[in-house]
Amino acid sequence: MSEKRDYYQVLGVSRQADASELKRAYRKLALELHPDRNPGDKESEVRFKEASEAYQVLSDPEKRALYDRYGHEGPRGGGFGGGFGSVSDIFSAFSDIFGDMFGGGFAGGPGHGAGRGSDLETQVQLTLAEVTTGATKEIRVQRRAVCQDCAGSGAAQGSSREACPQCRGRGQVVHAQGFLRISTTCPLCRGEGSVVRKPCPSCSGSGLRVVEESLQIGVPQGVEDGSTLRLAGRGEGVLGGGRPGNLYVHIRVADDPRFERDGADLHTEVAVSFPQAALGTTVKSQSLEGEVDVELAPGTQPGATVVLRGQGLPRLQERGRGDLIVHLKLVVPSSLSREQEEALRAFAAAGGEKVEPPSEKRGLFGRRKKN
Ligand SMILES: [Zn+2]
Ligand SMILES: [Zn+2]
């Protein structure tokens, strides 16, 4: 026969109490019986555990129904798991209640789940040629990693961490201010609950070491400026068994004065003269692989484009390449030799066109200089 008190009686509620009534009753008791408010008081600690166990069962509708039917022994006489071993188990089980009880002071107390390490960022610069072929780039990163020599404990070989003498392993200390009891992170162990007596020489007892790593990263061909590669687990390490963060590598593609990029397509400009455009010919254009021929049809207009299929950049994660789009820029000579001028006037005359020199007085572009 169990000597346990009835759970409803422990919490001081009726058997019909609803979830919010239960929570309110437990909160009130927990505040009153909290170990930090009653340091060294064994009885309060026992009652605190008892109340926590009662709340754990009654706040779970399934367990509550079984308790209502079978009592403390549960349906198969196995009971409800025997309550809590330690106070910190209670904090983690009811972190929603303790989290807001003292302004969050307990949410991160000892025994809480380890977090994930911070993410790191770095940048790598590529040329367009490297985007074309894909590249392996070396990057160097400084990051904190769990110390190999002490496996993150911070304690020298042959020694181990010990419970913090100031907070007795709780990670929190309580200051009394009149009626107020304020709980703060223990200054000695900084909330860890344990301290190192003999620090590990490799990490000076911190458990983490700054390491400089050199990583070879494969940048896929066709990658865009501003895109980001994620290297999982290459960020900052973290103590307590948490996963390290990620390393984000931002890709920068250096500007190439010869080309303007639009995804996998490249744009470039080629100057053509009036006779070339009018008569049609073959001109040279820059491409990623050197010079290529561009065919101009007779009568090519200024600003016309010639598309060279497959001469652009590789498509990211796809087959094939984009296009090279050659913009033809008609260049008008800024000065003419006497011979050229005569030929041009003859050309105009042959087309029935009379080209007068600019007017001295009403010139649109101001007065002509007199030589
Ligand atoms: Zn170490
Ligand atoms: Zn401490």
Side-chain angles (χ1 to χ4, degrees):
M1 188 62 199
S2 171
E3 303 203 348
K4 278 183 169 179
R5 287 207 296 154
D6 175 69
Y7 286 152
Y8 293 97
Q9 213 182 323
V10 168
L11 294 179
V13 294
S14 77
R15 298 191 85 82
Q16 284 75 43
D18 63 15
S20 68
E21 250 177 284
L22 283 170
K23 189 168 179 173
R24 228 179 305 128
Y26 174 61
R27 257 188 79 102
K28 190 166 160 267
L29 275 174
L31 267 168
E32 197 181 297
L33 300 170
H34 199 286
D36 279 346
R37 298 191 144 199
N38 305 277
D41 181 348
K42 269 281 146 211
E43 207 207 309
S44 324
E45 193 180 321
V46 169
R47 286 187 58 207
F48 180 59
K49 286 182 179 172
E50 186 188 37
S52 301
E53 185 189 319
Y55 180 65
Q56 189 191 35
V57 171
L58 297 184
S59 61
D60 179 331
E62 217 170 288
K63 286 184 184 166
R64 184 177 177 179
L66 292 172
Y67 175 77
D68 286 346
R69 198 152 164 210
Y70 300 102
H72 284 298
E73 296 309 308
R76 287 183 226 41
F80 287 99
F84 295 97
S86 76
V87 167
S88 63
D89 288 344
I90 297 172
F91 295 146
S92 41
F94 303 127
S95 59
D96 60 323
I97 287 183
F98 292 102
D100 60 356
M101 192 176 274
F102 298 108
F106 289 103
H112 65 98
R116 200 173 67 89
S118 311
D119 295 329
L120 290 176
E121 289 177 273
T122 187
Q123 198 172 305
V124 71
Q125 183 141 23
L126 300 178
T127 63
L128 267 190
E130 288 172 318
V131 173
T132 311
T133 54
T136 302
K137 300 295 274 186
E138 188 185 331
I139 50 170
R140 300 189 75 81
V141 244
Q142 274 201 346
R143 66 188 195 102
R144 278 179 295 177
V146 173
C147 175
Q148 304 270 305
D149 294 341
C150 62
S153 78
Q157 280 192 334
S159 74
S160 58
R161 296 185 74 91
E162 292 168 24
C164 173
Q166 189 157 340
C167 62
R168 291 196 204 84
R170 232 176 257 135
Q172 301 275 327
V173 286
V174 177
H175 307 275
Q177 275 181 6
F179 294 111
L180 272 181
R181 286 182 160 269
I182 298 165
S183 175
T184 57
T185 301
C186 172
L188 185 62
C189 64
R190 292 198 203 92
E192 295 277 316
S194 61
V195 289
V196 171
R197 286 257 181 257
K198 241 179 101 189
C200 163
S202 308
C203 61
S204 315
S206 72
L208 291 170
R209 277 172 83 179
V210 175
V211 291
E212 190 170 321
E213 283 178 336
S214 155
L215 300 169
Q216 304 283 330
I217 57 162
V219 183
Q221 47 174 224
V223 76
E224 297 250 11
D225 178 65
S227 53
T228 301
L229 301 176
R230 190 184 70 127
L231 301 181
R234 293 296 189 163
E236 300 265 46
V238 71
L239 294 176
R243 285 181 299 125
N246 299 326
L247 172 64
Y248 292 95
V249 182
H250 300 294
I251 305 291
R252 291 273 164 257
V253 180
D255 278 340
D256 188 317
R258 300 171 300 164
F259 304 108
E260 206 160 290
R261 183 178 182 181
D262 177 16
D265 294 337
L266 290 176
H267 293 259
T268 192
E269 212 173 53
V270 167
V272 294
S273 69
F274 173 72
Q276 285 177 318
L279 299 171
T281 185
T282 303
V283 294
K284 298 283 184 196
S285 168
Q286 300 266 19
S287 84
L288 286 167
E289 276 90 18
E291 285 197 328
V292 282
D293 287 344
V294 178
E295 306 292 329
L296 299 191
T300 293
Q301 298 300 308
T305 53
V306 175
V307 177
L308 301 177
R309 299 262 171 238
Q311 301 262 345
L313 291 165
R315 295 185 198 282
L316 185 64
Q317 287 161 355
E318 273 178 60
R319 297 174 71 83
R321 287 173 61 167
D323 301 329
L324 176 63
I325 297 136
V326 182
H327 296 254
L328 301 169
K329 190 182 165 200
L330 188 71
V331 179
V332 175
S334 52
S335 66
L336 296 170
S337 68
R338 190 173 192 85
E339 203 181 342
Q340 282 175 315
E341 188 182 337
E342 276 168 11
L344 214 46
R345 290 200 186 282
F347 170 82
E353 197 181 356
K354 203 172 173 213
V355 184
E356 297 278 6
S359 155
E360 289 257 335
K361 281 176 187 161
R362 291 177 293 114
L364 197 56
F365 304 104
R367 290 172 77 78
R368 209 179 179 194
K369 262 189 190 164
K370 279 184 185 146
N371 299 327

